[in-house]
Amino acid sequence: MNEKILILDFGSQYTQLIARRVRELNIYSEIVPFNKIPELDDSIKAVILSGSPFSVLEAGAPQVELDKIIGKKPVLGVCYGAQYIANAMGGEVRRSEKREYGKASLSRVFKEDQFLQGMADRSQVWMSHGDTIMEIPDNFELLAGTDHIDVAAFRSKADTFEQPVYCIQFHPEVAHSLDGKTLLKNFLVDIAGCEGEWTPASFAESMIEELKEKIGKEHVLMGLSGGVDSTVAATLLHHAIGDQLICFFVDNGLLRKDEYEEVLDSYKDLGLNVVGIDARQRFWDALKGESDPERKRKIIGRVFIEVFEEEAHKLQAVKWLGQGTIYPDVIESVSVHGPSVTIKSHHNVGGLPEILKLKIVEPLRMLFKDEVRKVGKELEVPKAILGRHPFPGPGLGIRILGDITPEKVALLQEADAIFINNLKKFDLYDKIWQAGAVLLPVQSVGVMGDERTYEKTVALRAVNSTDGMTAEWSKLPHDFLATVSSEIINNVKGINRVVYDISTKPPATIEWE
């Protein structure tokens, strides 16, 4: 990278958001734990210190070696970062009754500075701090305060350090700080001198060159899911190494209706060398009689590895395993709280690199999900793939509650297809984050014609979210739900009742298992 911003992570819930806001300015940003500061080479244009759930006054609070960064590069301290700098350099931080949480306004501007240029009068900002900076260090000067606290923004005095230090007690990265993007742009462009040339096109171009150099004439094997991440990663690899990339697409018998054929067709259009593997019966046999959700997941993962390994051993020249890992997974694995145990299993493919003795290549490991979609658009990946809803790795295996049979899979595939097709028909598909049907282990009495029935129940689930961590149930129109319910009951023999899930996450989850 020609220029990047280093973000020191002290464990704040907003750290990833800082990185995203920087990247929205077409400036590459990278998050590292506060205690693992790399060498500040010429590519690093500035350093941002994040917030933290800790208090600088606590024993055991995160400590950072400020002499490694102060004076070396322009520095921005955000909330905890600002308090840490103030405390470490001779100011005063204390627990105060003046604690601010929520919306506030920069009602008092004490000094004009390019850092605050373009911000509205009494600009709304978002506060979230229990400690308050009561006095700033001697070699700093006050820039702005709110109605309740004197110290909301301050900076090092001119010529104190070779590079300026700015500190704020509010969070510019959250949407509630209405001029937060302006402030970040002032710091990154006007003060740090960033040019903002990091775009999806520039990323794709540089990554393709990097992949060519890294892989050379060797072959790469990659498992595809039909989803956004694996498809964009495979497309980047294909642009770099062509037919040296071999892809597997496994039908585990738990895909959506016609998905296996449709995905294979879409990959042909992309020019990818894809081997389709029909392993439906093998998965069904392994899952027979199993109702426990966690054991079902483990069975699906184990059989996938077995199938993948057997097919991989038929290939001779493969040296690399391609993966669709994205940046949130990378951040999680090197978090300030230590290695995570919650990385999604489909990203580390259950230990396949070790089993197959392959090197790993992850073209998307530094991108957020929305950036992956932008790169995919640049590479002309079809909109049908880029706009596809998230779909769980275990597929319909965790949308069939109870044991799994081919008959239940077929039943759910039909109901799910009616739901998804109508979402598209009613122009609702792109307005929600994720949708699907769930087959319940419940039978209920119904009436069809003159006959009573005793058949299964399907629950429809549709949610809105930005990252899947929290989710609201989607307020779908009643006439739409009526149409879907009627179509499922009239066309899918074996289902006589349709319900709609109106649970939020939390306390519920998006999937039922």
Side-chain angles (χ1 to χ4, degrees):
M1 302 293 173
N2 293 330
E3 59 179 27
K4 68 180 173 185
I5 303 304
L6 199 65
I7 300 169
L8 301 189
D9 182 15
F10 292 93
S12 169
Q13 62 180 322
Y14 299 133
T15 303
Q16 285 195 36
L17 197 50
I18 297 174
R20 292 173 69 89
R21 293 291 178 258
V22 172
R23 292 184 182 196
E24 285 171 7
L25 296 168
N26 294 334
I27 301 166
Y28 178 70
S29 61
E30 200 166 304
I31 297 171
V32 298
F34 68 92
N35 55 358
K36 294 183 180 176
I37 303 173
E39 183 182 343
L40 301 185
D41 60 30
D42 290 342
S43 69
I44 296 173
K45 300 301 181 186
V47 180
I48 298 176
L49 280 62
S50 81
S52 176
F54 296 97
S55 161
V56 298
L57 304 175
E58 287 177 34
Q63 306 286 312
V64 65
E65 297 176 80
L66 288 178
D67 58 349
K68 283 189 172 182
I69 56 174
I70 298 287
K72 309 288 194 302
K73 303 286 179 180
V75 171
L76 173 62
V78 175
C79 201
Y80 179 91
Q83 293 155 4
Y84 187 88
I85 290 170
N87 193 55
M89 305 196 88
E92 182 187 356
V93 178
R94 78 166 72 137
R95 288 277 177 185
S96 169
E97 293 178 4
K98 293 184 178 180
R99 180 184 188 277
E100 281 193 305
Y101 181 83
K103 296 173 185 175
S105 62
L106 294 185
S107 55
R108 294 180 288 165
V109 175
F110 304 112
K111 182 178 174 62
E112 296 296 325
D113 191 277
Q114 60 184 334
F115 184 57
L116 302 176
Q117 286 295 313
M119 295 183 72
D121 186 40
R122 297 184 62 86
S123 181
Q124 178 182 295
V125 295
W126 181 260
M127 293 286 186
S128 179
H129 59 92
D131 292 347
T132 298
I133 300 168
M134 306 305 293
E135 291 184 25
I136 61 175
D138 289 341
N139 51 352
F140 282 72
E141 57 190 349
L142 203 53
L143 295 180
T146 70
D147 292 332
H148 302 291
I149 61 170
D150 292 331
V151 183
F154 59 104
R155 62 158 294 172
S156 58
K157 291 179 180 176
D159 303 324
T160 300
F161 307 112
E162 286 191 29
Q163 298 285 355
V165 179
Y166 285 87
C167 297
I168 51 178
Q169 284 219 87
F170 56 90
H171 289 270
E173 68 274 19
V174 303
H176 296 303
S177 290
L178 300 183
D179 294 315
K181 196 168 182 178
T182 298
L183 183 142
L184 286 172
K185 184 179 179 183
N186 290 344
F187 175 71
L188 297 170
V189 177
D190 298 336
I191 296 167
C194 293
E195 295 183 9
E197 295 178 345
W198 192 73
T199 62
S202 69
F203 170 84
E205 186 179 337
S206 63
M207 179 52 65
I208 289 167
E209 289 306 311
E210 184 181 319
L211 291 169
K212 284 179 183 177
E213 188 175 333
K214 178 187 284 189
I215 296 165
K217 297 298 181 183
E218 294 177 334
H219 284 69
V220 179
L221 175 61
M222 185 164 185
L224 300 178
S225 67
V228 177
D229 300 340
S230 67
T231 302
V232 175
T235 304
L236 277 167
L237 282 162
H238 178 69
H239 278 262
I241 62 171
D243 288 341
Q244 291 165 237
L245 173 67
I246 302 158
C247 301
F248 287 169
F249 180 52
V250 178
D251 186 350
N252 61 7
L254 304 166
L255 301 175
R256 286 178 149 155
K257 183 181 179 183
D258 300 330
E259 187 171 23
Y260 182 62
E261 295 77 14
E262 288 171 2
V263 169
L264 283 176
D265 282 346
S266 67
Y267 283 144
K268 280 179 192 170
D269 294 339
L270 285 169
L272 296 177
N273 178 16
V274 182
V275 178
I277 302 167
D278 184 350
R280 288 175 296 175
Q281 196 61 51
R282 187 161 171 176
F283 280 87
W284 292 337
D285 290 345
L287 288 162
K288 189 173 182 179
E290 185 55 71
S291 295
D292 181 83
E294 190 55 30
R295 285 201 289 270
K296 285 196 290 187
R297 285 176 181 272
K298 287 179 177 174
I299 290 167
I300 293 165
R302 173 178 57 78
V303 177
F304 177 83
I305 289 172
E306 290 171 358
V307 170
F308 200 97
E309 185 183 2
E310 287 171 16
E311 294 295 326
H313 282 310
K314 297 176 185 177
L315 306 172
Q316 301 300 318
V318 173
K319 301 293 183 186
W320 296 83
L321 182 70
Q323 293 188 184
T325 310
I326 61 175
Y327 198 34
D329 305 301
V330 176
I331 295 168
E332 195 172 68
S333 67
V334 294
S335 100
V336 297
H337 304 296
S340 171
V341 295
T342 57
I343 298 176
K344 298 172 187 175
S345 57
H346 67 276
H347 281 126
N348 57 28
V349 202
L352 267 175
E354 294 80 14
I355 293 169
L356 298 174
K357 296 180 174 58
L358 298 176
K359 297 175 282 186
I360 298 175
V361 58
E362 300 168 311
L364 306 177
R365 72 187 314 272
M366 302 312 287
L367 297 186
F368 289 104
K369 189 78 168 187
D370 55 330
E371 294 169 336
V372 173
R373 285 196 166 97
K374 289 174 184 174
V375 170
K377 186 177 180 182
E378 194 68 37
L379 296 171
E380 299 183 345
V381 172
K383 186 182 176 187
I385 292 177
L386 292 181
R388 187 173 183 254
H389 287 177
F391 188 63
L396 301 183
I398 57 169
R399 292 184 180 175
I400 297 171
L401 274 59
D403 67 319
I404 295 168
T405 66
E407 293 74 25
K408 287 181 181 178
V409 171
L411 208 62
L412 184 55
Q413 283 177 332
E414 293 297 330
D416 181 79
I418 290 169
F419 185 28
I420 298 301
N421 290 340
N422 273 292
L423 282 171
K424 293 174 180 176
K425 182 179 171 183
F426 278 69
D427 196 28
L428 294 167
Y429 186 84
D430 293 332
K431 296 173 183 174
I432 59 179
W433 163 267
Q434 183 174 339
V438 181
L439 187 65
L440 306 185
V442 172
Q443 287 182 287
S444 65
V445 174
V447 179
M448 289 192 178
D450 295 325
E451 296 182 8
R452 289 169 69 82
T453 61
Y454 193 59
E455 295 179 337
K456 297 191 184 320
T457 301
V458 157
L460 306 180
R461 181 73 160 143
V463 298
N464 285 83
S465 179
T466 54
D467 54 14
M469 300 302 292
T470 61
E472 283 284 338
W473 61 277
S474 303
K475 278 68 173 177
L476 296 177
H478 290 179
D479 60 339
F480 165 80
L481 291 171
T483 298
V484 173
S485 175
S486 176
E487 207 169 310
I488 289 173
I489 291 170
N490 288 333
N491 292 281
V492 186
K493 186 171 174 54
I495 295 173
N496 69 353
R497 193 175 296 270
V498 176
V499 299
Y500 187 53
D501 182 350
I502 59 169
S503 312
T504 60
K505 177 186 178 181
T509 54
I510 295 176
E511 299 295 341
W512 278 45
E513 286 190 342

